[in-house]
Amino acid sequence: MSAILHVNASPRYANSESLQLARHFIDSVHAAEEETFEVETLNLFDDGALPTFGRTAAAAKMAVFSGQDQTPEQITAWESARAVFDQFASADAYVFNIPMWNAGVPYVLKQWIDIITQPGWSFGFDPEKGYRGLMEGKQAVAIHTSGVYAPGVPAAFGNDFSSTFFADWLNFVGIEDAMHVRFAPTVLNGDVDGTRKVAEAELTAAAPVFAGKLSSVGAFELVGE
């Protein structure tokens, strides 16, 4: 069965515009195909959702890449990070809902990215050719929301280092089949409902293609078995 990993980067849950749009898209994907897709949601702001990646984990990483033995504490830290990556890598497709925080992504999303973006896991490196993403063949939809910022507003109303950073990261790890949908602004807007409906329509229209690609992945896996 094809699997979707839904990464929720908002702590607002029922009050989150980005989360509501992500759920709308996932429901639309399910409605587009008779096949059932497995969906796992990672709520990044839940207590214990992510391990810390500090001094011990960094030392564990350097021990791995320098061929040194890890201490028991480092082994535990590295295995905890690997478990987060394995959850990411095991999915066939991704849905991200990302509210803009201070022109960037929420800090827990950056923490998640820093945990899973390790050489030999999500990317490789060649001294002559440079970096290469290792997550090819997967697709993603990223939903971006912001309260005041919207494309085309004067600089006094904010800048977007959120969607640009995230699009670059997806490409870096090899997820080139990515769609970005924006609902903005969610606050400084005379027609919030109208703007939301535009985003919903864009997601609804994208769902059949997304679902079709997932079905193809599932069929390929069955043939491979």
Side-chain angles (χ1 to χ4, degrees), residues 100-187:
M100 181 187 290
W101 280 25
N102 298 316
V105 300
Y107 69 92
V108 290
L109 178 59
K110 184 60 168 62
Q111 179 183 352
W112 179 77
I113 288 172
D114 287 341
I115 290 171
I116 65 175
T117 309
Q118 304 291 349
W121 293 5
S122 56
F123 72 94
F125 180 75
D126 183 289
E128 295 182 359
K129 298 180 180 179
Y131 294 105
R132 179 176 67 88
L134 301 179
M135 309 302 295
E136 301 100 327
K138 299 174 186 287
Q139 60 174 327
V141 166
I143 299 161
H144 305 272
T145 57
S146 49
V148 175
Y149 173 83
V153 300
F157 291 86
N159 290 288
D160 177 18
F161 304 110
S162 174
S163 67
T164 53
F165 160 76
F166 195 73
D168 181 73
W169 174 75
L170 286 175
N171 187 69
F172 179 77
V173 298
I175 304 175
E176 298 180 353
D177 185 358
M179 176 182 180
H180 297 265
V181 176
R182 188 186 299 274
F183 171 27
T186 61
V187 177

Side-chain angles (χ1 to χ4, degrees), residues 24-25 28-29 32 179 181 197-209:
H24 170 85
F25 178 69
S28 299
V29 170
M179 176 182 180
V181 176
K197 288 178 180 178
V198 170
E200 288 176 346
E202 188 174 355
L203 291 166
T204 301
V209 175

Side-chain angles (χ1 to χ4, degrees), residues 22-85:
R23 289 173 173 167
H24 170 85
F25 178 69
I26 292 170
D27 288 345
S28 299
V29 170
H30 280 302
E33 287 281 340
E34 294 183 0
E35 180 182 348
T36 300
F37 304 118
E38 179 183 349
V39 179
E40 182 177 8
T41 298
L42 173 59
N43 294 303
L44 292 177
F45 277 95
D46 281 359
D47 292 340
L50 297 176
T52 59
F53 198 90
R55 188 176 297 175
T56 302
K61 174 179 179 177
M62 296 311 298
V64 168
F65 299 124
S66 61
Q68 299 177 355
D69 292 333
Q70 295 176 324
T71 67
E73 294 79 10
Q74 291 171 356
I75 291 172
T76 298
W78 195 241
E79 288 178 345
S80 295
R82 179 70 198 200
V84 178
F85 170 76

